[in-house]
Amino acid sequence: MTNSTHFGYKTVSEDDKVHEVAKVFHSVASKYDVMNDLMSGGLHRLWKTFTIANAGVRPGFKVLDIAGGTGDLAKAFAKQAGKTGEVWLTDINESMLRVGRDRLLNKGLITPTLLCDAEKLPFPDNYFDRVSVAFGLRNMTHKDQALAEMRRVLKPGGKLLVLEFSKVAAPLQKPYDVYSFSVLPWLGQKIAGDADSYRYLAESIRMHPDQETLKTMMETAGLERVQYFNLTAGVAALHTGIKF
């Protein structure tokens, strides 16, 4: 028997969560970027730009982009790391990874792509200068294990960047809830033909650790100088930590 965990607001077995999350992203992969632009009013691009700037990737760097989806971060990192660098685009979902790989190829960027589980990274210790995960951590069953793996593959002095939806400022909570549980599923049905996946998105955000809790989790995983930046009043937050 497997342990139970949450899938949105539902309690499911850990094995079932893996399958349910996979179904969500197989369903939304082809409309993922369009929906992100509609849902956030394009703000997700600014949040990612801020993350890329904080990464400080330089020529020759080795970078791992986990749950890289359609490749926004990997594309920027590949350009910054240059021909002497090494940027890996990874995802646990094959549909998302294919979309990301094709987008990179269409931009003339040939970089390694790998289907893998963030909780069991197939890379050696102390290998990467930077590790990033954008809007993927909340879907992982064992977040503490995934964070420990991210730290393991970082070089001493390397930086982890976690961009994720977070806890919005209190004055915006009620309108944000109305938007999340009414508008998002409606948009999902109209644009992607899938209301349930976007209802899960809203629920998964509420179940994700808030800013201070995630900061503590990163510190527990062995990262130091952990800090976070609230973006758009906490709708999203960027957490960073260093491996010493």
Side-chain angles (χ1 to χ4, degrees):
M1 295 180 65
T2 61
N3 295 324
S4 62
T5 186
H6 59 81
F7 174 74
Y9 289 159
K10 295 188 294 185
T11 299
V12 298
S13 73
E14 290 181 353
D15 288 344
D16 285 344
K17 177 172 180 173
V18 172
H19 295 304
E20 290 298 321
V21 170
K23 282 169 56 180
V24 167
F25 286 95
H26 284 312
S27 174
V28 305
S30 64
K31 299 287 186 180
Y32 188 76
D33 288 327
V34 173
M35 282 299 298
N36 278 352
D37 281 333
L38 287 172
M39 288 188 303
S40 70
L43 286 171
H44 76 102
R45 298 183 183 276
L46 297 178
W47 301 335
K48 290 171 182 174
T49 297
F50 182 76
T51 302
I52 292 160
N54 270 271
V57 172
R58 298 195 296 272
F61 269 26
K62 293 179 179 177
V63 184
L64 173 62
D65 187 24
I66 294 172
T70 54
D72 287 340
L73 295 189
K75 178 177 66 175
F77 293 151
K79 290 178 179 178
Q80 293 171 337
K83 293 182 178 179
T84 58
E86 183 180 324
V87 177
W88 285 80
L89 170 65
T90 70
D91 205 294
I92 197 172
N93 186 274
E94 185 176 357
S95 297
M96 293 295 293
L97 189 63
R98 287 180 183 276
V99 172
R101 178 201 61 189
D102 291 347
R103 285 188 65 194
L104 290 172
L105 289 173
N106 288 340
K107 294 291 184 180
L109 297 170
I110 301 174
T111 193
T113 59
L114 181 67
L115 192 69
C116 74
D117 184 347
E119 296 175 15
K120 302 172 185 176
L121 292 172
F123 298 102
D125 296 355
N126 307 314
Y127 190 78
F128 291 101
D129 298 285
R130 299 288 185 269
V131 174
S132 65
V133 55
F135 305 114
L137 184 65
R138 74 179 186 284
N139 297 308
M140 297 174 192
T141 304
H142 304 104
K143 296 176 180 61
D144 53 349
Q145 184 174 327
L147 289 169
E149 277 288 272
M150 294 175 203
R151 180 193 178 278
R152 178 184 66 78
V153 301
L154 273 172
K155 294 177 181 178
K159 180 187 283 190
L160 171 64
L161 302 104
V162 181
L163 176 63
E164 188 53 89
F165 292 111
S166 202
K167 186 174 182 179
V168 72
L172 297 179
Q173 189 64 62
K174 286 187 178 179
Y176 185 55
D177 283 347
V178 171
Y179 174 76
S180 298
F181 293 105
S182 298
V183 178
L184 280 190
W186 180 83
L187 275 175
Q189 185 60 46
K190 291 294 183 182
I191 305 301
D194 183 354
D196 289 343
S197 291
Y198 289 91
R199 191 170 293 110
Y200 160 73
L201 169 65
E203 293 176 359
S204 70
I205 293 169
R206 299 316 187 278
M207 298 300 291
H208 184 67
D210 64 17
Q211 288 91 327
E212 284 294 331
T213 303
L214 181 53
K215 179 177 184 286
T216 300
M217 290 174 68
M218 290 175 66
E219 291 169 340
T220 301
L223 292 154
E224 300 187 45
R225 294 187 184 174
V226 178
Q227 59 183 330
Y228 63 84
F229 307 88
N230 281 321
L231 307 173
T232 317
V235 173
L238 172 65
H239 285 69
T240 64
I242 306 295
K243 176 179 177 176
F244 286 135

